[in-house]
């Protein structure tokens, strides 16, 4: 291969990388540090989740509207800064109102497929709603889809999904005995973490998903899922192995926090901690913890 071929290949790989990261998409006229914006609805940042109706969070002058690749936007979404989707507080209120109205997981999936309030939808290839058995008494909740999940349209399909499957198998579980989903159903471009605003917008949907799936036990994989679902501010190394209670009306569902498989792929020595948590999970399923 000539030097020119090498250069061309490098340039194409570089361009692919930037497109994957979402850099071909126009977000706004000025750059924003989304992680430092303090306008996520309070409920998403502090309080334990409640499934009971809440007032819509306050509005903030925050613009994040994003056109889908090559798609025609609905009329109300065509002007930057004017639609409900342009403000995370409004979008979260809208999501909450809509999520309340659906009566089944199928309806919730259809609602999400038509929901334009989260900008991640417009950079993702697919909605990643859930996998596994919706009637199972055990529900795993991760953070957000990655590239494989985005391509396939199902959660935990890539390397961390394979590890999750092995961890489940080690305690006699598989995707017929568990329901698997994420707190955010669209892939953040370039596999970045979802911002607090994106989590807040999607939160009413995962709340409703929990309510409709009605599991006896939830396992949160990693810190973002644990913090969003339990309201704890503790990091995952402190939160893991503990049970929390998640309220749905009068019902309390136990939540066990553990390490995310993607973290375990990077830190294989920590698998011993996850193994302890999965034994706790097995004991809880057997009524012994
Ligand atoms: N990581 C997650 O948190 N969820 C997935 O679906 C895949 C990887």
């Amino acid at each position: 291969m000539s030097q020119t071929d090498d250069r061309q290949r490098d340039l194409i790989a570089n361009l692919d990388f930037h497109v994957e990261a979402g850099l071909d998409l126009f977000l706004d006229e000025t750059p924003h540090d989304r992680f430092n914006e303090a306008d996520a609805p309070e409920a998403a940042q502090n309080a334990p989740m409640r499934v009971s109706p809440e007032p819509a969070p306050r509005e903030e002058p925050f613009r994040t509207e994003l056109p889908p690749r090559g798609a025609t936007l609905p009329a109300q979404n065509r002007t930057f800064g004017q639609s409900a989707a342009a403000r995370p507080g409004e979008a979260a209120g809208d999501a909450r109102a809509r999520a309340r109205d659906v009566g089944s997981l199928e309806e919730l999936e259809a609602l999400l497929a038509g929901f334009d309030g989260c900008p991640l939808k417009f950079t993702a290839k697919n909605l990643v709603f859930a996998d596994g058995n919706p009637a199972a008494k055990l529900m795993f909740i991760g953070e957000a889809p990655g590239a494989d999940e985005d391509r396939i349209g199902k959660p935990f399909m890539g390397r961390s999904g394979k590890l999750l499957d092995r961890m489940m198998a080690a305690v006699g579980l598989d995707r017929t005995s568990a329901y698997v989903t994420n707190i955010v159903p669209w892939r953040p471009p370039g596999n970045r973490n979802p911002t607090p605003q994106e989590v807040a917008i999607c939160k009413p949907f995962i709340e409703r998903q929990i309510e409709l799936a009605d599991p006896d036990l939830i396992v949160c994989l990693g810190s973002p899922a644990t913090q969003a679902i339990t309201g704890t501010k503790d990091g995952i190394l402190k939160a893991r192995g503990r049970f929390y209670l998640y309220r749905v009306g009068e019902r309390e569902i136990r939540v066990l926090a553990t390490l995310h498989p993607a973290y375990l792929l990077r830190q294989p020595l920590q698998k011993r901690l996850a193994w302890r948590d999965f034994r706790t999970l097995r004991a809880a399923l057997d009524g012994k913890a």
Side-chain angles (χ1 to χ4, degrees), residues 10-178:
D10 286 353
L11 278 172
I12 291 168
N14 197 312
L15 281 172
D16 280 348
F17 172 82
H18 284 90
V19 169
E20 267 296 286
L23 288 190
D24 60 332
L25 290 155
F26 175 64
L27 277 166
D28 209 340
E29 284 156 19
T30 49
H32 296 274
D33 179 354
R34 305 281 180 213
F35 290 94
N36 279 332
E37 281 166 346
D39 57 353
E42 259 170 44
Q45 294 184 328
N46 306 322
M49 281 186 18
R50 280 171 299 157
V51 178
S52 51
E54 291 170 7
R58 70 201 154 84
E59 282 180 24
E60 292 292 335
F62 175 86
R63 302 186 301 150
T64 179
E65 196 166 347
L66 185 66
R69 277 188 186 115
T72 310
L73 286 167
Q76 76 275 16
N77 280 5
R78 283 197 193 120
T79 315
F80 277 168
Q82 289 186 3
S83 75
R87 298 180 191 92
E90 232 179 77
D94 183 35
R96 188 169 296 112
R98 291 177 192 224
R100 228 180 269 141
D101 280 348
V102 299
S104 69
L105 289 167
E106 292 76 20
E107 279 175 33
L108 182 62
E109 184 172 2
L111 171 67
L112 269 164
F115 180 73
D116 287 343
C118 179
L120 292 177
K121 176 182 181 179
F122 301 117
T123 47
K125 290 189 177 75
N126 279 301
L127 169 70
V128 176
F129 183 65
D131 192 29
N133 180 359
K137 288 295 159 200
L138 173 64
M139 182 168 182
F140 283 93
I141 305 182
E143 180 180 357
D148 293 314
E149 293 76 20
D150 185 39
R151 190 172 38 80
I152 298 167
K154 286 189 178 171
F156 287 99
M157 289 285 121
R159 282 182 70 221
S160 50
K162 298 219 168 8
L163 178 56
L164 176 63
D165 287 341
R166 288 205 299 278
M167 290 157 74
M168 286 165 71
V171 291
L173 299 167
D174 60 23
R175 296 200 191 200
T176 65
S177 43

Side-chain angles (χ1 to χ4, degrees), residues 190-259:
N191 284 354
R192 64 163 170 77
N193 294 332
T195 64
Q197 288 79 19
E198 289 157 356
V199 172
I201 291 168
C202 296
K203 198 165 162 186
F205 297 120
I206 182 66
E207 287 179 341
R208 189 70 180 132
Q209 199 169 354
I210 293 171
E211 195 175 14
L212 291 165
D214 194 26
D216 286 342
L217 183 61
I218 295 171
V219 176
C220 285
L221 300 164
S223 186
T226 301
Q227 293 185 350
I229 299 300
T230 68
T232 185
K233 291 246 193 286
D234 288 340
I236 194 62
L237 288 173
K238 188 157 177 208
R240 58 148 287 276
R242 291 196 191 163
F243 283 107
Y244 296 81
L245 288 177
Y246 177 82
R247 274 198 108 86
V248 181
E250 294 301 296
R251 188 161 134 69
E252 284 184 333
I253 301 174
R254 293 176 95 193
V255 179
L256 178 65
T258 190
L259 304 170

